[in-house]
Amino acid sequence: MPTKNAAKRPLKAEDLYGLQFVEDPQISPDGKCVAFVKMTMSKLLNKYERHIWLADLSGSRPQVRQFTFGDKSDTSPRWSPDGRTLAFVSAREPVTPDKPQICIIGVGGGEAHPITKLANGATSPAWSPDGKRIAFLGRVNEEERKKEDSGKEDPKPDTLIEVKHQKERREEDEKKKADPRIITRLPYRTGTEYYDDRRSHIYVLDVPAEGESAKPCRITDGELDFTVVEWSPDGKYIYSTQSRTPDYSPWEQLDIIRINATGKRRPFTRLTKPGFDYLTAKPSPDGKWLAVIRHVERGSWGHTQHLCIMPANGGAVRPLTVEFDRNPESFEWSADSKYLYLQAGDHGDTGIYRVAASGGVVARVVGGRRMILGFSRAKAGRAAFVASTPERPVDLYIADGKSEKQITDFNRKLLDEVRVAKTEEMRYTAPDSREIQGWLIKPHGFKPGKKYPLAVNMHGGPHVMWGPSTPSMWIEWQFHAARGYAVFYCNPRGSGGYGDEFASVIQSEWGDDVMHDVLTGVDRVVDKGFVDTKRIALTGGSYAGYMTAWIVGHDHRFACAWSQRGLYSLISFYGTSDIPQLLRREFDLEFPGDDPEKSWQHSPLAYAKDIRTPLAIEHQDNDYRCPVSDAEQLFTTLKKLKREVAFYRYPREGHEMSRSGEPQHRVDRLNRMVEWFDKYCMKR
């Protein structure tokens, strides 16, 4: 008799269109309802659609329903302190089309209405503790700030035709500003776009009654960028972060700052000192403390960041998670200010942990074989979180004390149709006796005694952590298995989730040791006896694109390789990437010219003459993290050497294409990658 799973169809790349994801869970203050974002993909429109849903937990069975509708995406739901109203971000305002604005809607019903109408949009809403004000971020340049301060406003259009004309004029003005593009700051581009002359500033708005309007007050000024918005419990201040070097590195050397939120603009106060980057801050409910995440200012990015507390007015910073030795990804206070709850990765899984504000042991409160992707806690202690598992993509869960309940099951229809291969954990010893954790997925229809091709996957970062529940890789690994490949991946040294030493040990040594960690894992899979050693494919993106080119330049066992959005030359990477400081943090080089030999020695391009493996190079035209020029150099070199090479370039895309690019491009990439594997790894 065939098993239930055997009767299902193989998964296809096109099944990506059918996947549904849960994002940004926000539990109401009383713990009786969760607002979250449901993300779907439109094959026809080739875009993502996001709307806010509600999960009512007040009855014996949770009731889940869609809450916002329309052709514009709705994101960032945030509860008012009394739980009666939701603020969210949407581009539904006709006066500023395609610019996100802050909207509010009563949870009991009614129509959503925008409360901001900023020409450049508004994001990141944060309610004041009394629910009477909302702080948010808006982008403005010097000219626009002067106009705001003078009280002058552009005339409001009366008709949709005037709205259209105003939009066209604004777009034409933006084109003129970028022709030629004048660059005076670093970084000057990121994602898929160049920065303009605008900076991200903090505004405060008195929440208007429905049908009324209120003018927001900007409480920050200058050529500075603010990205964090956290209210003090008394509503007098807002906490944020600010660089000590805003002219050339606005996202580094960050301090926690305190800003007057009462309407009169005053200079902000720095509450921390040099030596660390302070990434975020949240005040305790009693107003006495700030909880902050900090990271060393110098040295490898792999060093563990720590959750700390400090007096709310500034003072000595006390770390709470040194012995825990794992990276806190987000955190929240308990209502009584006695505990902090944090999300952190450990050995391929992500859980929620608790630590006392007074210090002590960090204890896990929500665990399991899964990755938690975000959580929030109600005052009464109930927590809502989003998690993925090896068997299923992302869903919403509720944890209440020791009990736990899955709330959504949006992918049930797809999971009932397709086979999902099981994941097996492996632990093995690298040549220097370091333990490495990896995972293996056997191909669909696996039969003992038969030989199969193997697809070896590697993660980027390098200081990230993969596990069997990694949602961005779920369909890719399952697709490879559905096409007849065994799948192997691991967390080599340099990965997060194993402590400071494990992650930072690769500083100035990105290549050989990591290569041996991966190849030893391949050997252990081959030792199991079902892999055809002449049919092994290798792939990875970003840092793992670096490693793909590095490995095939040093080892010739692979039948083919697919290198994605890689860094191939440290020399050209500097100055073309939006993170040129990578050389300083990871290779102890302020400039590549300080030690040209070292810069070249650690570049995969230096070993291109030794690449004999058929190599596909995938890159995106607008990738400003690992610029396409690196891929061009590698392709040109291999083509000149008459090696087997192909170059796949995706227009309009950036570094995140495989995770959040155009859906059609993501599907195309999956299919082309496996076609390349099949060309060299499948018997004809």
Side-chain angles (χ1 to χ4, degrees):
M1 292 288 293
T3 65
K4 183 178 180 181
N5 197 46
K8 297 180 179 181
R9 67 171 175 84
L11 183 142
K12 303 177 294 185
E14 288 72 17
D15 287 321
L16 176 70
Y17 295 120
L19 286 178
Q20 303 177 49
F21 293 88
V22 178
E23 303 171 339
D24 200 3
Q26 298 293 320
I27 196 165
S28 60
D30 62 7
K32 295 181 179 180
C33 190
V34 180
F36 62 91
V37 176
K38 180 183 177 184
M39 188 274 281
T40 59
M41 285 172 255
S42 171
K43 181 178 180 180
L44 178 64
L45 300 177
N46 190 31
K47 71 172 189 176
Y48 300 90
E49 297 176 340
R50 288 177 166 88
H51 292 98
I52 296 168
W53 286 57
L54 295 181
D56 186 346
L57 311 175
S58 59
S60 57
R61 298 184 62 181
Q63 301 296 315
V64 180
R65 63 185 175 95
Q66 186 171 345
F67 188 59
T68 65
F69 298 83
D71 61 352
K72 301 295 185 181
S73 285
D74 304 320
T75 62
S76 304
R78 296 296 182 267
W79 292 95
S80 62
D82 62 9
R84 297 179 181 178
T85 308
L86 274 177
F88 63 98
V89 176
S90 180
R92 60 181 63 198
E93 168 56 47
V95 175
T96 54
D98 302 323
K99 297 293 184 181
Q101 302 292 345
I102 310 301
C103 302
I104 60 174
I105 182 172
V107 180
E111 290 293 325
H113 62 281
I115 59 172
T116 64
K117 297 182 180 181
L118 274 66
N120 304 307
T123 61
S124 305
W127 292 87
S128 64
D130 61 6
K132 296 180 179 180
R133 293 173 290 168
I134 289 180
F136 61 89
L137 296 175
R139 291 185 59 79
V140 281
N141 59 25
E142 183 180 13
E143 180 182 348
E144 292 162 342
R145 295 196 302 272
K146 288 180 179 179
K147 183 180 291 186
E148 286 179 351
D149 293 342
S150 70
K152 296 179 181 178
E153 295 185 19
D154 292 327
K156 295 292 186 281
D158 295 324
T159 67
L160 289 178
I161 293 177
E162 290 179 6
V163 169
K164 180 181 178 182
H165 289 164
Q166 189 180 77
K167 178 186 177 184
E168 291 172 348
R169 288 193 298 271
R170 191 159 50 238
E171 290 175 346
E172 186 62 30
D173 288 343
E174 293 299 320
K175 288 180 181 178
K176 289 179 180 178
K177 285 184 179 180
D179 186 10
R181 182 177 283 115
I182 301 172
I183 296 168
T184 59
R185 58 185 288 194
L186 282 177
Y188 58 88
R189 58 184 185 179
T190 191
T192 60
E193 298 178 347
Y194 282 76
Y195 285 123
D196 57 19
D197 60 348
R198 295 185 175 91
R199 302 281 184 159
S200 180
H201 282 275
I202 300 175
Y203 291 76
V204 174
L205 173 72
D206 290 332
V207 178
E210 187 171 357
E212 297 182 2
S213 62
K215 185 177 180 180
C217 172
R218 179 170 42 81
I219 63 171
T220 58
D221 202 8
E223 295 300 301
L224 304 171
D225 284 283
F226 301 84
T227 58
V228 175
V229 182
E230 291 286 346
W231 286 89
S232 64
D234 60 9
K236 293 181 180 179
Y237 302 104
I238 285 175
Y239 296 100
S240 188
T241 60
Q242 187 51 237
S243 173
R244 295 185 292 277
T245 57
D247 291 339
Y248 66 90
S249 188
W251 319 127
E252 279 200 310
Q253 301 184 44
L254 297 171
D255 280 325
I256 302 300
I257 62 171
R258 188 182 65 193
I259 307 164
N260 176 47
T262 57
K264 187 174 181 180
R265 194 181 305 149
R266 298 170 181 164
F268 57 75
T269 302
R270 291 187 186 267
L271 302 180
T272 52
K273 298 178 181 180
F276 295 90
D277 282 332
Y278 291 86
L279 309 180
T280 189
K282 290 185 179 181
S284 58
D286 63 12
K288 295 179 179 179
W289 303 97
L290 282 179
V292 301
I293 292 178
R294 76 178 186 184
H295 188 264
V296 291
E297 191 176 291
R298 305 189 67 83
S300 172
W301 279 322
H303 286 302
T304 303
Q305 58 192 35
H306 292 293
L307 180 62
C308 313
I309 65 168
M310 59 183 290
N313 294 326
V317 180
R318 177 164 50 88
L320 301 176
T321 57
V322 173
E323 296 300 322
F324 181 51
D325 199 18
R326 297 293 184 269
N327 285 317
E329 298 167 8
S330 61
F331 65 91
E332 293 204 6
W333 282 94
S334 63
D336 60 8
S337 301
K338 291 182 178 180
Y339 295 95
L340 285 150
Y341 291 81
L342 59 138
Q343 176 183 315
D346 177 56
H347 286 80
D349 299 310
T350 307
I352 299 174
Y353 299 80
R354 187 180 78 169
V355 62
S358 59
V361 175
V362 179
R364 188 172 63 189
V365 295
V366 177
R369 174 106 291 179
R370 58 188 169 194
M371 280 195 171
I372 293 175
L373 309 169
F375 79 101
S376 62
R377 296 184 78 255
K379 291 181 179 179
R382 175 183 275 178
F385 63 93
V386 168
S388 62
T389 70
E391 297 77 28
R392 60 191 316 110
V394 184
D395 274 305
L396 175 68
Y397 297 78
I398 293 295
D400 200 346
K402 294 183 178 180
S403 65
E404 182 183 306
K405 182 181 292 185
Q406 181 180 333
I407 303 301
T408 63
D409 196 9
F410 290 134
N411 292 294
R412 170 50 52 197
K413 182 177 183 296
L414 176 63
L415 294 173
D416 283 344
E417 293 178 7
V418 302
R419 304 173 195 155
V420 177
K422 293 183 178 180
T423 304
E424 304 172 15
E425 183 180 341
M426 296 173 53
R427 289 183 185 264
Y428 57 91
T429 303
D432 63 353
S433 300
R434 186 182 295 273
E435 184 181 73
I436 305 297
Q437 184 182 24
W439 293 269
L440 173 66
I441 303 174
K442 291 178 180 176
H444 290 298
F446 175 81
K447 295 179 181 179
K450 185 178 178 181
K451 296 286 188 178
Y452 294 91
L454 174 67
V456 179
N457 285 246
M458 300 181 294
H459 71 63
H463 308 298
V464 301
M465 181 190 74
W466 266 1
S469 307
T470 304
S472 61
M473 294 302 297
W474 185 86
I475 193 168
E476 190 161 329
W477 293 334
Q478 291 293 332
F479 179 47
H480 289 175
R483 289 289 291 261
Y485 290 83
V487 177
F488 168 72
Y489 55 95
C490 67
N491 282 328
R493 71 193 69 199
S495 302
Y498 303 87
D500 185 279
E501 190 275 339
F502 190 94
S504 62
V505 70
I506 68 169
Q507 187 176 27
S508 291
E509 186 47 76
W510 271 21
D512 282 351
D513 289 341
V514 176
M515 175 177 68
H516 292 307
D517 289 350
V518 174
L519 295 183
T520 301
V522 174
D523 290 338
R524 298 293 79 80
V525 175
V526 169
D527 289 344
K528 296 178 181 293
F530 60 82
V531 171
D532 185 340
T533 57
K534 294 183 179 180
R535 296 192 289 153
I536 304 179
L538 178 68
T539 187
S542 192
Y543 164 69
Y546 172 107
M547 282 307 304
T548 299
W550 184 277
I551 289 175
V552 297
H554 292 78
D555 187 280
H556 300 146
R557 75 182 67 190
F558 294 95
C560 64
W562 179 283
S563 186
Q564 311 166 38
R565 61 189 189 281
L567 184 172
Y568 306 119
S569 171
L570 295 182
I571 295 173
S572 59
F573 179 84
Y574 181 87
T576 60
S577 170
D578 63 354
I579 52 168
Q581 63 268 38
L582 178 142
L583 266 72
R584 171 169 47 83
R585 298 298 296 255
E586 296 296 328
F587 292 94
D588 293 318
L589 292 170
E590 191 64 43
F591 303 100
D594 289 344
D595 190 341
E597 183 178 353
K598 180 179 180 179
S599 300
W600 186 239
Q601 178 187 354
H602 290 281
S603 298
L605 187 61
Y607 309 97
K609 289 184 179 181
D610 296 317
I611 295 177
R612 304 287 176 178
T613 305
L615 180 64
I617 303 169
E618 170 211 319
H619 223 99
Q620 290 67 41
D621 279 353
N622 294 342
D623 186 341
Y624 300 144
R625 177 59 47 85
C626 294
V628 71
S629 57
D630 272 29
E632 292 169 334
Q633 292 176 80
L634 182 59
F635 171 74
T636 299
T637 300
L638 293 176
K639 198 66 179 175
K640 286 277 190 178
L641 292 169
K642 296 183 169 50
R643 305 291 157 75
E644 207 159 347
V645 62
F647 192 5
Y648 297 86
R649 295 181 64 148
Y650 287 89
R652 302 181 300 281
E653 298 286 8
H655 198 65
E656 297 299 310
M657 187 192 83
S658 66
R659 294 172 283 244
S660 59
E662 294 177 17
Q664 290 178 9
H665 279 165
R666 293 176 65 186
V667 171
D668 181 83
R669 168 188 168 274
L670 288 170
N671 281 322
R672 289 186 187 275
M673 182 190 303
V674 172
E675 287 170 4
W676 182 262
F677 290 176
D678 287 352
K679 181 179 178 180
Y680 301 97
C681 296
M682 284 297 181
K683 293 180 179 178
R684 304 299 179 185

